[in-house]
Amino acid sequence: MLLIQCPYCGPRPELEFAYGGQAHIARPLKPADLNDDEWAAFLYMRVNTKGVHAERWRHARGCNRFFNALRDTTTDHFLAVYKTGEARPALNTAGGHS
Amino acid sequence: MTQFRAAKGGRIDRSSAIEFEFDGQTYKAHPGDTLASALLANGVHLVGRSFKYHRPRGLLAAGAEEPNALVGVWRDSARYTPNLRATTVEIYPGLKAESQNRSPSLKFDRAGINGLFSRFIGAGFYYKTFMWPKTAWKSLYEPTIREAAGLGRAPTQADPDRYSNRHAHCDVLVVGAGAAGLSAARAAAAAGARVILCDEQAEMGGSLLSDVHTRINGLTASAWVASVLQELKANPRVTLLARTTAFGYFPHNHLGLNEKLTEHVAAPKPDQPRERLWQVRAAEVVLAMGAIERPLVFPGNDLPGILLADAARTYLQRYGVKVGSVVAVVTAHDSAYQTALDLHAAGVKIAVIADTRAEVSGDLAAQAWAAGIRIQHNSTVIGTRGKLRVTGIDLGQVSGSNVQPLESIACDTIIMSGGWTPSVHLHSQSRGKLVWDESLSAYIPGQTAERTRSVGSCRGIFGIAASLADGTKTGAEAAGTTSSITYEVEETRLANTGFIGALPQPGGKPGDKAFVDWQNDVTTKDLALAMREGFESVEHVKRYTTNGMATDQGKTSNMNALAFLAAGLDKPIPAVGLTTFRMPYTPVTFGSFAGYSRGELFDPVRRTAIHDWAQAQGAVFEDVGAWKRARYFPRGNEDMHAAVDRECVAVRQNCGIFDASTLGKIEVVGPDAATFLERLYVNSWANLKVGQSRYGILCREDGFVYDDGIIARLAEDRFHVTTTTGGAARVYAFMEDYLQTEWSDLSVWLTSISEQYSVIALQGPAARRVLEPLVTGVDVSAQALPHMGVVSGFICGIPMRLFRVSFTGELGFEINVPSDYGRAVWEAIYASGQPHGIVPYGTESMHVLRAEKGYIIVGQETDGTMTPDDVGLSWAIGKTKPDFVGKRSLARSSMHAKDRKQLVGLRTQDPKLVLEEGAQIVDSPGQKAPMRLIGHVTSSYHSAVLGHSIALAVVRGGRARVGQTLYVPMPTGDIPVIVTSTVFYDSEGAKLHG
């Protein structure tokens, strides 16, 4: 079971969280201005990263807040967690254990 | 006792004799024995039949890696455990065990004839046979395979024992309490770390417990173990867990440990848990799992009486048991010499030491020479003799690539050693890399993926002194420090040699019945066949031959198979690859995983405040998610249909009361609450007046219906949103998602109030008369509280939110009161309704009543591909809104295609015929499969009020088909149906607005 650092509550077991999919996909402010292809890309197109993935988590059985995390999909190690709305943090290349 | 119990030695309690039973026969043992050692002490080697060929099998090992000796052990009929390894079953007085996979007896097994047919049931025979004739599958093949498949039998009664579960955190978790593990735990504890030390065996100490030669700090190995354990036990920061297997290494240093608590106890206390599952989150992990001796692969190597050399030493030194009278030793490693010398000293005759190596040097070989033991270099084994027990060994002489028969030597036991394979299982489970060490001919841990370190022989560090030093250094490191602890060790140094693969045979052929995997009956011939048939990937060969796929997961077989494959493919071993190590390291019971989650505690049950009342009234309940909901209230001998008919008629004629408390309820509050709902739901909300409610539809961003419910405006800034019962949690999460991550500009607060309110639906023409006398502060007249009106007031003095809404098409109210008062208010309404013929009704009648009105149920009429328009709800969409969730998707041209599936009603010609829900619909009769399916039935009931059956269905272009005849093809023939409107009852809505 993953150990996930909630930016509000601290480290908690994965059991308390709900996965929220890829992060930093903003809903278009005026969806009507998008053509079908652009709208389909927003709706359905997601990366399938091998390596560092920016993703959303919700502390569903805790503070119930969404936040973002950088997780290495090859190791499941969390490299950073940050609050919704904050920019994706730069990583030092060392990486390492969570 | 018997001639096989050594005169002295061992860690058994010779002062006490206990009796146990195996295959119905009573034997004697001592406390401290395992079932395996006790059987050997009684001269019993034959303990099982093999899986595929039913070959007689004996004990191969002394530990958890044992592939052959799988036994069933029981205390009573409810406590029967199959497939236990006899080597890990501790003896207690009265223990009852039986062998498996034999019929009628171990010595005579009918299916032993499989051995004669072995050339027809080699690798992949499942894939090649049973193909034809097709009809034979059901009558012949499947029953036969089912009879032959599986090992052991399942207990016939529910498990009466309790299984415990515990979470733990520590600084350092040490897995394995041999020399390396003990020294690591000691060093980490000395640094002040919180340490958990676990070991799968009853006694901690590992190989030190069967080592009578080594001295540590002047103490015998076992005395040193005792002193360290005493020291660790006295340390409050150290937890010692014996009989505890670390079976799984999960992400982020989360390990699963299975502790056996009562398996070894003759009469466990009834309140004592049988096993405990530990879930340990460790800051650092030290793996000290040791190494497993490798068998040698030669023809006939699976006869009872052929076992691993170190196992023989363990049986002698730890259990005081001699494995035989005349022992032949076959080895590629010095350690077997120590065993030979120990057995020799105990009075066992060593017939020969057949060494595969060209040269042997070192103290042990010299001692063997001195003891007069014959040593044969450049040896191989080309066959064995015997049927139920080995009686002789056929040696061969290797010279270059040439193998010549040498001689046949009589013996009753063969012990073998191919060297040692480090136990990298948990390191590999943790996704650490493995690297091939050419000098050790072994895979050892490489780069780690977790905060874990391997120590001692599981990383290829052999010898007591080296393991103690490695454990000390690494244990201290794991605790974030260095250690000054040192150990004075006197031991015999052994060269690290070994043999992997199959011993050379005359003519370079694989030889007959040279077993690589004992438990799954895989021979070198099977592996050779797989290679001839083109299998080269180790993963494919594994699955095709099933090598390493048995319950022992190839602990004794994987490396030999790999080397045999590499030799056959003419590739270096690391180029062949390696199969994946998976949890569990050894089998874990379902009871352990289930823990307390069984029976009533299996899953939480949600009950409404009115549940007990319904139960007392004889309601039949159904599960809706975790909720228990009253389905119908039978009277007398009524079946469900009779009860539902009566309930529906009563609601339409008089009045019914229904528990709707399970509805999801979310309070949306704040200055931007209306804006929030405006953006989320398809409807308009800005124009909803305080004191009014509206039917709302929620779509996903893809435009498909996600949920629905009534939304009431209690104040300018306060909405009471209801959701479907099943959608409550996900709609709340959906709302939070948009609020937190997309529309953080909105000032809105969401609160789930599902549990806080009981919802009592009061429906029917008499509803107002029933309700009126109970309420205060509200006018419930049609003028003051019209359909969809909402008002706050009191009922029986209890504050309520009163909705005038209807899911039946009748005059209806939904009374929301705090849950603590739900039962009391319910009973008051029920009493008030008595003169008006009130009946309680359940979810089944609710379904019929709403279907008569064509009201949809999300998840029944919709399936995640239906738009609001598909289910006839486009009227609800706020057409002038610039945006809402799903609007852009609904603008796609395909969302308006004429042939989309649309909700319609169906009538059958035969009024009694109720269609099956889920039945498919076609547009012409007599079609042959594959038919052109144009829709399916979503809801179907008998309507007592209408006197005929009704159905809702989704049909391609359905609304344009009203009046057409379509067909529902069933096994009994096509059922003609007429497409109708979705509203079967009171289409003008006169009753609703009454």
Side-chain angles (χ1 to χ4, degrees), chain B residues 265-434:
Chain B
V265 181
K269 293 191 195 106
D271 59 346
Q272 201 177 1
R274 184 168 174 178
E275 296 178 23
R276 181 176 290 128
L277 179 73
W278 290 79
Q279 296 182 61
V280 180
R281 184 78 71 173
E284 304 284 340
V285 172
V286 176
L287 300 174
M289 299 179 66
I292 292 173
E293 197 167 26
R294 223 165 26 246
L296 290 165
V297 178
F298 53 84
N301 61 347
D302 68 326
L303 276 176
I306 303 180
L307 67 167
L308 292 167
D310 196 63
R313 182 143 68 110
T314 300
Y315 285 123
L316 179 68
Q317 303 296 15
R318 189 160 164 193
Y319 301 105
V321 173
K322 297 181 278 189
V323 291
S325 308
V326 185
V327 174
V329 182
V330 191
T331 187
H333 193 276
D334 283 354
S335 63
Y337 283 76
Q338 186 67 67
T339 306
L341 287 165
D342 287 4
L343 286 169
H344 179 77
V348 175
K349 180 175 163 52
I350 304 298
V352 64
I353 297 179
D355 200 313
T356 64
R357 295 169 293 182
E359 296 176 22
V360 184
S361 55
D363 293 353
L364 293 173
Q367 286 176 44
W369 279 115
I373 296 172
R374 175 183 168 189
I375 299 176
Q376 192 70 38
H377 294 161
N378 283 321
S379 284
T380 186
V381 183
I382 59 175
T384 61
R385 314 215 163 182
K387 282 204 166 59
L388 297 178
R389 174 80 187 262
V390 68
T391 58
I393 183 167
D394 297 338
L395 293 183
Q397 186 74 33
V398 180
S399 145
S401 61
N402 192 20
V403 176
Q404 291 294 329
L406 182 66
E407 67 176 293
S408 184
I409 297 173
C411 60
D412 63 12
T413 306
I414 299 172
I415 63 171
M416 58 184 166
S417 175
W420 296 83
T421 302
S423 292
V424 295
H425 304 71
L426 287 188
H427 168 82
S428 179
Q429 278 188 29
S430 77
R431 298 206 268 195
K433 296 263 191 300
L434 295 171

Side-chain angles (χ1 to χ4, degrees), chain B residues 152-173:
Chain B
R153 60 182 174 89
T156 53
Q157 284 170 265
D159 189 337
D161 290 318
R162 288 167 57 241
Y163 295 80
S164 172
N165 188 352
R166 203 156 154 185
H167 295 266
H169 295 79
C170 64
D171 299 320
V172 182
L173 170 67

Side-chain angles (χ1 to χ4, degrees), chain B residues 439-450:
Chain B
S439 69
L440 293 171
S441 291
Y443 278 104
I444 57 171
Q447 199 191 338
T448 57
E450 296 280 357

Side-chain angles (χ1 to χ4, degrees), chain B residues 462-524:
Chain B
F462 292 100
I464 304 301
S467 291
L468 290 171
D470 193 36
T472 302
K473 176 173 175 288
T474 308
E477 254 172 42
T481 179
T482 54
S483 176
S484 56
I485 302 173
T486 56
Y487 298 99
E488 290 283 323
V489 179
E490 300 163 40
E491 66 175 327
T492 309
R493 297 229 146 189
L494 305 179
N496 284 321
T497 57
F499 187 93
I500 328 182
L503 288 181
Q505 299 301 314
K509 300 244 171 65
D512 267 341
K513 300 282 183 295
F515 282 86
V516 180
D517 184 324
W518 273 250
Q519 198 167 81
N520 260 355
D521 269 355
V522 181
T523 66
T524 51

Side-chain angles (χ1 to χ4, degrees), chain B residues 903-922:
Chain B
L903 187 70
V904 293
L906 296 180
R907 288 279 308 273
T908 53
Q909 284 176 345
D910 174 359
K912 289 209 178 71
L913 183 68
V914 178
L915 297 169
E916 275 191 32
E917 288 179 355
Q920 297 294 315
I921 297 167
V922 297

